[in-house]
Amino acid sequence: MDIVQKYKIGYTDGVYDLFHVGHLNMIEAAKKQCEYLIVGVHSDQVVKQYKYHCPIIPEAERARIIGAIKGVDKVVINDVRDKLTLLERYGFNVVFIGDDWKGTERWNNFEKVLGERNVDVIYVPYTKGISTTDIKKKILSV
């Protein structure tokens, strides 16, 4: 019988604009592996900095949606994306991220620096066939 490792404090984050089942799958998979799950919502300003546009749903509303999900123990709005800064703030011992990020320079670096601080990185399978970008394209085509 396989025993799933239970981490004490888990962390995942995202924009969570136009919340969809892929977002839910990520949160549920993360919660199965930790006792306490913190979910970070990227602030409108942070999203604007790296995506060059604001989310459709404002940060406070996105945070409220995330906070209402079973299994989310704490929701935070983040003004940074740097995982070391977030580690200092929240003290997690595992980070969950979609496996579409595996092998990227950014996440290879995070794996190294977080590993030096005894924080694991767990890649959760990406939900095929759905993304916020695809949803936006469908809306625009109607």
Side-chain angles (χ1 to χ4, degrees), residues 3 49 51 61-62 65 75 83 88 96 119:
I3 297 173
Q49 288 171 357
K51 290 197 174 201
E61 293 177 21
R62 291 183 283 121
I65 291 165
V75 62
K83 299 304 181 251
E88 290 172 12
F96 300 95
V119 175

Side-chain angles (χ1 to χ4, degrees), residues 59-128:
E59 65 190 37
E61 293 177 21
R62 291 183 283 121
R64 184 171 173 213
I65 291 165
I66 297 302
I69 296 169
K70 180 181 174 184
V72 174
D73 296 296
K74 180 177 184 173
V75 62
V76 293
I77 297 175
N78 287 329
D79 56 354
V80 297
R81 293 173 64 209
D82 178 71
K83 299 304 181 251
L84 286 180
T85 300
L86 297 169
L87 173 62
E88 290 172 12
R89 287 182 187 174
Y90 308 123
F92 47 80
N93 60 327
V94 62
V95 173
F96 300 95
I97 185 73
D99 67 0
D100 52 322
W101 289 99
K102 189 170 184 143
T104 64
E105 183 179 339
R106 182 166 193 259
W107 277 92
N108 285 343
N109 182 52
F110 281 143
E111 279 186 59
K112 181 181 176 206
V113 297
L114 291 171
E116 291 168 356
R117 289 158 179 84
N118 297 315
V119 175
D120 290 341
V121 174
I122 304 290
Y123 292 95
V124 175
Y126 180 81
T127 302
K128 306 273 189 265

Side-chain angles (χ1 to χ4, degrees), residues 26-74:
M26 166 63 77
I27 291 168
E28 288 177 338
K31 182 58 181 181
K32 286 179 184 175
Q33 298 182 61
C34 63
E35 293 175 28
Y36 188 87
L37 180 62
I38 301 168
V39 180
V41 173
H42 296 179
S43 72
D44 292 343
Q45 190 59 38
V46 164
V47 176
K48 190 173 183 180
Q49 288 171 357
Y50 76 94
K51 290 197 174 201
Y52 309 109
H53 63 81
C54 281
I56 293 170
I57 308 298
E59 65 190 37
E61 293 177 21
R62 291 183 283 121
R64 184 171 173 213
I65 291 165
I66 297 302
I69 296 169
K70 180 181 174 184
V72 174
D73 296 296
K74 180 177 184 173

Side-chain angles (χ1 to χ4, degrees), residues 14-20 23 53-58 62 132 135-136:
V15 179
Y16 304 112
D17 200 18
L18 302 180
F19 192 83
H20 56 71
H23 296 139
H53 63 81
C54 281
I56 293 170
I57 308 298
R62 291 183 283 121
T132 303
I135 292 170
K136 288 177 183 177

